[in-house]
Coordinates of all heavy atoms in Angstrom, one line a residue:
K1 N 176.3 -161.2 -80.2 CA 175.7 -160.0 -79.8 C 174.8 -159.3 -80.9 O 174.0 -158.5 -80.6 CB 176.8 -159.0 -79.3 CG 177.8 -158.5 -80.4 CD 178.8 -157.6 -79.8 CE 179.8 -157.1 -80.8 NZ 180.8 -156.2 -80.1
Y2 N 175.0 -159.8 -82.1 CA 174.1 -159.2 -83.2 C 173.0 -160.2 -83.6 O 172.3 -159.9 -84.6 CB 175.0 -158.9 -84.4 CG 176.0 -157.8 -84.2 CD1 177.2 -157.9 -84.9 CD2 175.8 -156.8 -83.3 CE1 178.2 -157.0 -84.7 CE2 176.8 -155.9 -83.1 CZ 178.0 -155.9 -83.8 OH 179.0 -155.0 -83.6
F3 N 172.8 -161.2 -82.8 CA 171.7 -162.2 -83.2 C 170.4 -161.5 -83.4 O 169.6 -161.8 -84.3 CB 171.5 -163.2 -82.1 CG 172.5 -164.3 -82.1 CD1 172.5 -165.3 -81.1 CD2 173.5 -164.4 -83.1 CE1 173.5 -166.3 -81.1 CE2 174.4 -165.5 -83.1 CZ 174.4 -166.4 -82.1
R4 N 170.1 -160.5 -82.5 CA 168.8 -159.8 -82.6 C 168.6 -159.1 -83.9 O 167.5 -158.9 -84.4 CB 168.7 -158.8 -81.4 CG 167.3 -158.1 -81.3 CD 167.2 -157.2 -80.1 NE 168.2 -156.1 -80.2 CZ 168.3 -155.1 -79.3 NH1 167.4 -155.1 -78.3 NH2 169.2 -154.2 -79.5
N5 N 169.7 -158.6 -84.5 CA 169.6 -157.9 -85.7 C 169.2 -158.8 -86.9 O 168.7 -158.3 -87.9 CB 171.0 -157.2 -86.1 CG 171.4 -156.2 -85.0 OD1 170.6 -155.8 -84.2 ND2 172.7 -155.9 -85.0
Y6 N 169.5 -160.1 -86.8 CA 169.3 -160.9 -88.0 C 168.2 -162.0 -87.8 O 167.7 -162.5 -88.8 CB 170.7 -161.7 -88.3 CG 171.8 -160.7 -88.7 CD1 172.9 -160.5 -87.9 CD2 171.7 -160.0 -89.9 CE1 173.9 -159.7 -88.2 CE2 172.7 -159.1 -90.2 CZ 173.8 -158.9 -89.4 OH 174.8 -158.1 -89.8
L7 N 167.9 -162.4 -86.6 CA 166.8 -163.4 -86.4 C 165.5 -162.7 -86.7 O 165.3 -161.5 -86.5 CB 166.9 -163.9 -85.0 CG 168.0 -164.9 -84.6 CD1 168.0 -165.2 -83.2 CD2 167.9 -166.1 -85.5
T8 N 164.5 -163.5 -87.1 CA 163.1 -163.0 -87.2 C 162.6 -162.7 -85.8 O 163.2 -163.1 -84.8 CB 162.2 -164.1 -87.9 OG1 162.1 -165.2 -87.0 CG2 162.8 -164.5 -89.2
E9 N 161.6 -161.9 -85.8 CA 161.0 -161.6 -84.5 C 160.6 -162.8 -83.7 O 160.8 -162.9 -82.5 CB 159.8 -160.6 -84.7 CG 159.2 -160.1 -83.4 CD 158.1 -159.1 -83.6 OE1 158.0 -158.6 -84.7 OE2 157.3 -158.8 -82.7
D10 N 160.0 -163.8 -84.4 CA 159.6 -165.0 -83.7 C 160.8 -165.8 -83.2 O 160.7 -166.3 -82.0 CB 158.7 -165.9 -84.6 CG 157.4 -165.3 -84.9 OD1 156.9 -164.4 -84.1 OD2 156.7 -165.7 -85.8
Y11 N 161.8 -165.9 -84.0 CA 163.0 -166.6 -83.5 C 163.7 -165.9 -82.4 O 164.2 -166.5 -81.5 CB 163.9 -166.9 -84.7 CG 163.5 -168.0 -85.6 CD1 164.0 -168.1 -86.9 CD2 162.7 -169.0 -85.1 CE1 163.7 -169.2 -87.7 CE2 162.4 -170.1 -86.0 CZ 162.9 -170.2 -87.2 OH 162.5 -171.2 -88.1
W12 N 163.7 -164.6 -82.4 CA 164.4 -163.9 -81.4 C 163.6 -164.0 -80.1 O 164.2 -164.2 -79.0 CB 164.5 -162.4 -81.7 CG 165.1 -161.5 -80.6 CD1 164.5 -160.5 -79.9 CD2 166.4 -161.7 -80.0 NE1 165.3 -160.0 -79.0 CE2 166.5 -160.7 -79.0 CE3 167.5 -162.5 -80.3 CZ2 167.7 -160.6 -78.3 CZ3 168.6 -162.4 -79.5 CH2 168.7 -161.4 -78.5
T13 N 162.3 -164.0 -80.1 CA 161.5 -164.3 -78.9 C 161.7 -165.7 -78.4 O 161.9 -165.9 -77.2 CB 160.0 -164.1 -79.3 OG1 159.7 -162.8 -79.7 CG2 159.1 -164.4 -78.1
M14 N 161.8 -166.7 -79.3 CA 162.2 -168.0 -78.9 C 163.5 -168.1 -78.2 O 163.7 -168.7 -77.2 CB 162.1 -169.0 -80.0 CG 160.7 -169.2 -80.6 SD 160.7 -170.2 -82.1 CE 161.3 -171.8 -81.5
Y15 N 164.5 -167.4 -78.8 CA 165.9 -167.4 -78.3 C 165.9 -166.8 -76.9 O 166.5 -167.4 -76.0 CB 166.8 -166.6 -79.2 CG 168.2 -166.7 -78.8 CD1 169.0 -167.8 -79.1 CD2 168.8 -165.7 -78.0 CE1 170.3 -167.9 -78.7 CE2 170.1 -165.8 -77.6 CZ 170.9 -166.9 -77.9 OH 172.2 -166.9 -77.5
K16 N 165.2 -165.7 -76.7 CA 165.2 -165.1 -75.3 C 164.6 -166.1 -74.3 O 165.0 -166.1 -73.1 CB 164.4 -163.8 -75.4 CG 165.1 -162.7 -76.1 CD 164.4 -161.4 -75.9 CE 163.0 -161.3 -76.5 NZ 162.4 -160.0 -76.4
S17 N 163.6 -166.9 -74.7 CA 163.0 -167.8 -73.8 C 163.9 -169.0 -73.4 O 163.5 -169.8 -72.5 CB 161.7 -168.4 -74.4 OG 161.9 -169.2 -75.5
T18 N 165.1 -169.1 -74.0 CA 166.0 -170.2 -73.6 C 166.8 -169.8 -72.4 O 167.6 -170.6 -71.9 CB 167.0 -170.5 -74.8 OG1 167.8 -169.4 -75.0 CG2 166.2 -170.9 -76.0
Y19 N 166.6 -168.5 -71.9 CA 167.3 -168.1 -70.7 C 166.3 -168.3 -69.5 O 165.2 -167.9 -69.6 CB 167.7 -166.6 -70.8 CG 168.9 -166.4 -71.7 CD1 168.8 -166.2 -73.1 CD2 170.2 -166.5 -71.2 CE1 169.9 -166.1 -73.9 CE2 171.3 -166.4 -72.1 CZ 171.1 -166.1 -73.4 OH 172.2 -166.0 -74.2
S20 N 166.8 -168.8 -68.4 CA 165.9 -169.1 -67.3 C 166.5 -168.6 -66.0 O 167.7 -168.1 -66.0 CB 165.7 -170.6 -67.2 OG 166.9 -171.2 -66.8
N21 N 165.8 -168.7 -64.9 CA 166.3 -168.5 -63.6 C 166.6 -169.8 -62.9 O 166.8 -170.8 -63.6 CB 165.3 -167.6 -62.8 CG 163.9 -168.3 -62.7 OD1 163.8 -169.6 -62.8 ND2 162.9 -167.5 -62.5
C22 N 166.7 -169.8 -61.6 CA 167.1 -171.1 -60.9 C 165.9 -171.9 -60.6 O 166.1 -173.0 -60.0 CB 167.8 -170.7 -59.7 SG 166.9 -169.7 -58.5
E23 N 164.7 -171.5 -60.9 CA 163.5 -172.3 -60.6 C 163.4 -173.5 -61.6 O 163.5 -173.4 -62.8 CB 162.2 -171.5 -60.7 CG 162.1 -170.3 -59.8 CD 162.2 -170.8 -58.3 OE1 161.6 -171.8 -58.0 OE2 162.7 -170.1 -57.5
K24 N 163.2 -174.7 -61.0 CA 163.2 -175.9 -61.8 C 162.2 -175.9 -63.0 O 162.6 -176.2 -64.1 CB 162.9 -177.1 -60.9 CG 163.0 -178.5 -61.6 CD 162.7 -179.6 -60.7 CE 163.7 -179.7 -59.6 NZ 163.5 -181.0 -58.8
E25 N 161.0 -175.4 -62.7 CA 160.0 -175.4 -63.8 C 160.4 -174.5 -64.9 O 160.2 -174.8 -66.1 CB 158.6 -175.0 -63.2 CG 157.5 -175.0 -64.2 CD 156.1 -174.6 -63.6 OE1 156.0 -174.6 -62.4 OE2 155.2 -174.4 -64.4
V26 N 160.9 -173.3 -64.6 CA 161.3 -172.4 -65.6 C 162.5 -172.9 -66.4 O 162.7 -172.7 -67.6 CB 161.6 -171.0 -64.9 CG1 162.1 -170.0 -66.0 CG2 160.4 -170.5 -64.2
F27 N 163.4 -173.5 -65.6 CA 164.6 -174.1 -66.3 C 164.2 -175.2 -67.3 O 164.7 -175.2 -68.5 CB 165.5 -174.8 -65.2 CG 166.9 -175.1 -65.6 CD1 167.8 -175.6 -64.7 CD2 167.3 -174.9 -66.9 CE1 169.1 -175.9 -65.1 CE2 168.6 -175.2 -67.3 CZ 169.5 -175.7 -66.4
W28 N 163.2 -176.0 -67.0 CA 162.8 -177.0 -67.9 C 162.1 -176.3 -69.2 O 162.3 -176.8 -70.3 CB 161.8 -178.0 -67.3 CG 162.4 -179.1 -66.6 CD1 162.5 -179.4 -65.2 CD2 163.1 -180.2 -67.2 NE1 163.2 -180.5 -65.0 CE2 163.6 -181.1 -66.2 CE3 163.4 -180.5 -68.5 CZ2 164.3 -182.2 -66.4 CZ3 164.2 -181.7 -68.8 CH2 164.6 -182.5 -67.7
M29 N 161.4 -175.3 -68.9 CA 160.7 -174.6 -70.0 C 161.8 -174.0 -71.0 O 161.7 -174.0 -72.2 CB 159.9 -173.4 -69.5 CG 158.6 -173.9 -68.8 SD 157.7 -172.5 -68.0 CE 157.3 -171.5 -69.5
S30 N 162.9 -173.5 -70.4 CA 164.0 -172.9 -71.3 C 164.7 -174.0 -72.1 O 165.1 -173.8 -73.2 CB 165.0 -172.2 -70.4 OG 165.8 -173.1 -69.6
I31 N 164.8 -175.2 -71.5 CA 165.4 -176.3 -72.2 C 164.6 -176.7 -73.4 O 165.1 -176.9 -74.5 CB 165.6 -177.5 -71.2 CG1 166.7 -177.2 -70.2 CG2 165.9 -178.8 -72.0 CD1 166.7 -178.2 -69.1
F32 N 163.3 -176.9 -73.2 CA 162.4 -177.3 -74.3 C 162.3 -176.2 -75.4 O 162.1 -176.4 -76.6 CB 161.1 -177.7 -73.8 CG 161.1 -179.1 -73.2 CD1 160.9 -179.2 -71.8 CD2 161.4 -180.2 -73.9 CE1 160.9 -180.5 -71.2 CE2 161.5 -181.5 -73.3 CZ 161.2 -181.6 -72.0
A33 N 162.4 -174.9 -74.9 CA 162.4 -173.8 -75.9 C 163.7 -173.9 -76.7 O 163.6 -173.7 -78.0 CB 162.4 -172.5 -75.1
A34 N 164.8 -174.2 -76.1 CA 166.1 -174.4 -76.9 C 166.0 -175.5 -77.8 O 166.4 -175.4 -79.0 CB 167.2 -174.6 -75.9
C35 N 165.3 -176.6 -77.4 CA 165.1 -177.8 -78.3 C 164.3 -177.4 -79.5 O 164.7 -177.8 -80.7 CB 164.5 -178.9 -77.6 SG 165.5 -179.7 -76.3

């Protein structure tokens, strides 16, 4: 819960992009963001 406090702004933006909805294309985007 404190990740946002310690990650750089760029890393926090990347971390948020690892969350997706149920759409296949968005899901794949979140997977590669996590990678």
Side-chain angles (χ1 to χ4, degrees):
K1 64 181 180 180
Y2 299 147
F3 282 175
R4 184 177 64 175
N5 299 345
Y6 297 114
L7 288 173
T8 65
E9 185 176 344
D10 287 344
Y11 280 160
W12 177 242
T13 299
M14 291 174 67
Y15 184 82
K16 288 190 293 183
S17 69
T18 67
Y19 287 90
S20 69
N21 57 26
C22 61
E23 298 298 325
K24 185 181 295 185
E25 182 179 348
V26 179
F27 196 175
W28 275 112
M29 289 174 61
S30 72
I31 290 170
F32 286 113
C35 291

